[in-house]
Amino acid sequence: QVQLVESGGGLVQAGGSLRLSCAASGIIFSINAMGWYRQAPGKQRELVADIISGTSANYADSVKDRFTISRDNAKNTVYLQMNSLKPEDTAVYYCKATVLTGPFKSWGQYWGQGTQVTVSS
């Protein structure tokens, strides 16, 4: 019913920047929260940043002042601008959205397939 497609990952040197994008498509009546999570090898998936419709953004302490999340509601797209990247930011980054969808208009949580971000030292 709903698909999330991420793009923008890649390999970058420490101190560099990347911009991730995640576009939602399908049967979408409304999107509440959209956010980014990451999972490094051997670690649990963690919240990087999220933004709820009509409210301010929320960031993990480790990325505050370096990452910026934004939304384009008209395009059902969320972005993550990542600056001053560090090797410890290396992970698979996943997009997540809470979407009102389906023939019965119910809320569901959906994940993208993930995009690899690698920061070399």
Side-chain angles (χ1 to χ4, degrees):
Q1 292 177 334
V2 176
Q3 299 80 40
L4 300 181
V5 178
E6 299 124 332
S7 60
L11 173 64
V12 64
Q13 288 188 332
S17 298
L18 283 174
R19 187 188 192 217
L20 305 182
S21 300
C22 171
S25 63
I27 303 173
I28 298 173
F29 297 105
S30 180
I31 299 179
N32 186 7
M34 297 190 83
W36 292 94
Y37 292 70
R38 67 186 181 187
Q39 187 167 17
K43 294 188 176 182
Q44 288 190 332
R45 191 173 296 188
E46 62 176 2
L47 173 69
V48 176
D50 65 8
I51 183 166
I52 299 173
S53 181
T55 69
S56 60
N58 176 50
Y59 295 93
D61 288 342
S62 59
V63 306
K64 280 180 181 177
D65 301 323
R66 298 189 299 122
F67 291 9
T68 302
I69 189 171
S70 60
R71 283 174 66 164
D72 185 334
N73 292 327
K75 296 181 179 179
N76 291 331
T77 299
V78 64
Y79 305 95
L80 186 68
Q81 178 66 43
M82 305 185 294
N83 299 328
S84 302
L85 282 160
K86 305 175 181 180
E88 50 264 43
D89 294 317
T90 295
V92 178
Y93 283 69
Y94 297 91
C95 173
K96 178 184 174 184
T98 303
V99 182
L100 185 65
T101 183
F104 304 107
K105 284 193 175 183
S106 58
W107 289 99
Q109 294 186 339
Y110 297 85
W111 291 88
Q113 79 286 355
T115 185
Q116 177 70 46
V117 171
T118 303
V119 184
S120 62
S121 57

